[in-house]
Every structure is written in structure tokens, then in C-alpha cells.
Amino acid sequence: MSTNRTISRRKLMGYAWVGAGIIVMGELIFGTLAFLWPRKRESKGEKVLIAGKVSDFKVNEVVYFRKERVFIEKTDEGFLAFSAVCTHLNCVVHWNEILKKFECPCHGAKFNRYGEVLEGPPPRPLDLYKIQIVEEKLVIDTGAPVERKKFDPSQMVKD
Ligand code: FES
């Protein structure tokens, strides 16, 4: 015994429209909820850069980690980890090894080796990331940039 079940083209199109409508409504509802729901702030430890061994860094050297947009500088007094994001309008700064300054290509800002504003419109120094030294390795908490008003030697992490 066989059954010959057929469905009209009109009915098939009706089902397709209902299915598409359900998908669109679902996306609207979930999209709206996702937009309205408070976002979880990234906190300490959620994003971490293991930058290498302390002994890998030379004094007065600035090393850039492109993916994380982090500069790490080693001085006689210790380490600093800067965000490469300009505090004016979020362009990415670069390190000028000859002039020993961070420079922003967007509006000409310049920052000294401690991230302090030398010239240009940024309202504050480059943000810092917290550094921990764990088993001789530099561990940078890139999930929580720290804003500051000025450089202070206490911001350096001794090795
Ligand atoms: S974004 Fe860097 S100076 Fe404007």
C-alpha cells in the first residue's frame, strides 16, 4: 500500500514564509535582549598576554605585541606595559626608536617613554596594563587597561 501525499505549491510557499518569519522574529527578540542585557565587563585575568621571560627583555628596549596592541618597555627601574591605543580617539600609536617616543599617526600626538603626553590633543597618558611576574615570565592582564593622570615610578614593576 502506498500513499501519494502531495503538497500544493501555494501551501509550500506558505510554510516557507512562516518559517522565515519565525527565524526573523527570533533574531529580533534575541538581538534586542542581547542589546539590552548588561555586558559583562572583562575583569582581571580574563585576557592575558604571556610576554616571555623577564630575561628576554633588554634595558631600554620597547617591544610591541601587535595582536594584543601592547608595548612592553624595560627600564632600569622595571617594566611598563602600555596600551597602544591613543587616549585621544583610539588610533594605534607606534614607537619611534630613533626619537624614543610613541607617536600617533592620526593627530600628531607624541608620548614619552613613560606614556606621558608631550604634544597633541590626548587628554591623558597611554593606559597601562597590570604586570605580574610569574615563574620568571611577564604576565600582562590585557583585559583591564588602567587609566592614569601622569607617570609615577610606582607604576613600574620590578624584576
Ligand atoms: S587619535 Fe591619537 S592624537 Fe588623535
Side-chain angles (χ1 to χ4, degrees), residues 86 88-91 104 106-109 121-122:
C86 182
H88 179 224
L89 292 175
N90 300 331
C91 290
C104 181
C106 292
H107 309 101

Side-chain angles (χ1 to χ4, degrees), residues 57-62 72-80 82 113-114 151 153 156-159:
F57 294 84
K58 298 180 195 120
V59 173
N60 295 327
E61 182 182 49
V62 175
I72 296 179
E73 178 180 16
K74 182 176 185 182
T75 70
D76 287 329
E77 300 99 312
F79 286 96
L80 287 170
F82 301 103
R113 64 180 314 127
Y114 304 110
F151 168 72
M156 294 191 157
V157 174
K158 313 248 181 277
D159 55 329

